[in-house]
């Protein structure tokens, strides 16, 4: 799996970074999403998928390999 993020759509809610801190962070200035691991290791996949589902803006999406 691969994660794509659209910072134009992100509303800086921070759910992703809270849910999967190993995979997502927020930029210091605007609070928009920063993807730390676009291809998260197996142990973080579940949290990453959860975070994508919880994102309120639809800025995140998963592309299956
Ligand atoms: S949860 Fe969605 S809207 Fe919130 S910071 Fe992450 S990508 Fe942006």
């Amino acid at each position: 799996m691969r994660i794509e993020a659209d910072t134009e759509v992100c509303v800086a809610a921070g759910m992703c970074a809270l849910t999967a801190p190993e995979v997502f962070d927020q930029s210091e200035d605007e609070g928009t999403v920063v993807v730390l691991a676009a291809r998260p290791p197996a142990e973080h996949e579940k949290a990453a998928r959860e975070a994508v589902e919880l994102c309120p803006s639809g800025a995140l999406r998963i592309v299956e390999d």
Side-chain angles (χ1 to χ4, degrees), residues 5 9-17 26 31-33 51 54-60:
V9 176
C10 172
V11 295
M15 282 306 293
C16 53
Q26 289 176 271
T32 49
V33 63
L54 287 172
C55 171
S57 71
L60 302 176

Side-chain angles (χ1 to χ4, degrees), residues 13-41:
M15 282 306 293
C16 53
L18 275 176
T19 308
E22 289 85 3
V23 181
F24 301 101
D25 198 358
Q26 289 176 271
S27 71
E28 279 184 18
D29 46 347
E30 294 179 329
T32 49
V33 63
V34 175
V35 180
L36 301 174
R39 290 184 183 277

